[in-house]
Amino acid sequence: AQSVTQLGSHVSVSEGALVLLRCNYSSSVPPYLFWYVQYPNQGLQLLLKYTSAATLVKGINGFEAEFKKSETSFHLTKPSAHMSDAAEYFCAVRYDKVIFGPGTSLSVIP
Amino acid sequence: DGGITQSPKYLFRKEGQNVTLSCEQNLNHDAMYWYRQDPGQGLRLIYYSQIVNDFQKGDIAEGYSVSREKKESFPLTVTSAQKNPTAFYLCASSLSTVNTEAFFGQGTRLTVV
């Protein structure tokens, strides 16, 4: 069965530091991959998506992710964290249905 | 504006009662989904529908039921058989093609009292 794992349920970074959120998927067939962000008591908002056009994908709010087939990974990065980046982040994969990872809660320390 | 509307935002239910959560979309999407979110467990798929009058069970369908009589609507009923219904419920929709993302509603927080 397809699955998505996110290493680290909680990540803390200092304001201005690099953000790295990890995502790995389990499939020999490259899927379609997505990163979503969720603020408290709200729905999910799409940050970016990989659809095989380019391995480095740029999204909103300065985030980007790189698809690495050899590592079955799709890690999310941002060069400089901002206080407003504090939220829950979900990696997702789509085949016939959308499957989400368990999420990573990002805290930004002033 | 196009989007997905979930209602109500907050819902309280007495034990033993069925309750229906509404989800409407005007994006002309074929596929619709219901997820349950609990703290520390991410999103778990309850039911999904890829076309009108058809739907499939997700990972945690027990105690839930759905219908898809119209393309725009995908209501979820939480029945009395659901042992632990208190949770945040999210509805989503997407085009049927696999390289497209899901769009989410704002969620309904259900509390059993």
Side-chain angles (χ1 to χ4, degrees), chain B residues 77-97:
Chain B
T77 296
V78 184
T79 74
S80 57
Q82 169 50 237
K83 300 303 181 187
N84 185 21
T86 295
F88 190 52
Y89 291 87
L90 286 162
C91 179
S93 71
S94 69
L95 292 169
S96 58
T97 48

Side-chain angles (χ1 to χ4, degrees), chain B residues 49-70:
Chain B
S49 168
Q50 294 178 310
I51 196 169
V52 174
N53 292 323
D54 187 39
F55 48 83
Q56 288 79 38
K57 293 182 178 180
D59 301 318
I60 56 165
E62 185 175 352
Y64 300 96
S65 65
V66 294
S67 62
R68 187 84 187 278
E69 298 177 0
K70 298 187 299 182

Side-chain angles (χ1 to χ4, degrees), chain A residues 32 34 36 38 41-46 49-51 88 90 94-103, chain B residues 9 33 35 37 41-43 45 48 50 88 90 94-102 104-106 109:
Chain A
Y32 296 99
F34 309 89
Y36 287 86
Q38 184 184 32
N41 293 312
Q42 294 188 24
L44 276 68
Q45 178 184 4
L46 182 72
K49 63 180 180 181
Y50 166 74
T51 58
E88 189 87 15
F90 293 94
R94 181 171 182 183
Y95 294 95
D96 58 336
K97 56 188 179 183
V98 183
I99 300 170
F100 286 85
Chain B
K9 188 167 179 62
Y33 313 82
Y35 294 91
Q37 188 174 26
Q41 295 194 47
L43 277 71
L45 184 63
Y48 66 106
Q50 294 178 310
F88 190 52
L90 286 162
S94 69
L95 292 169
S96 58
T97 48
V98 294
N99 65 345
T100 57
E101 67 270 27
F104 282 82
Q106 291 300 296
R109 185 165 297 281

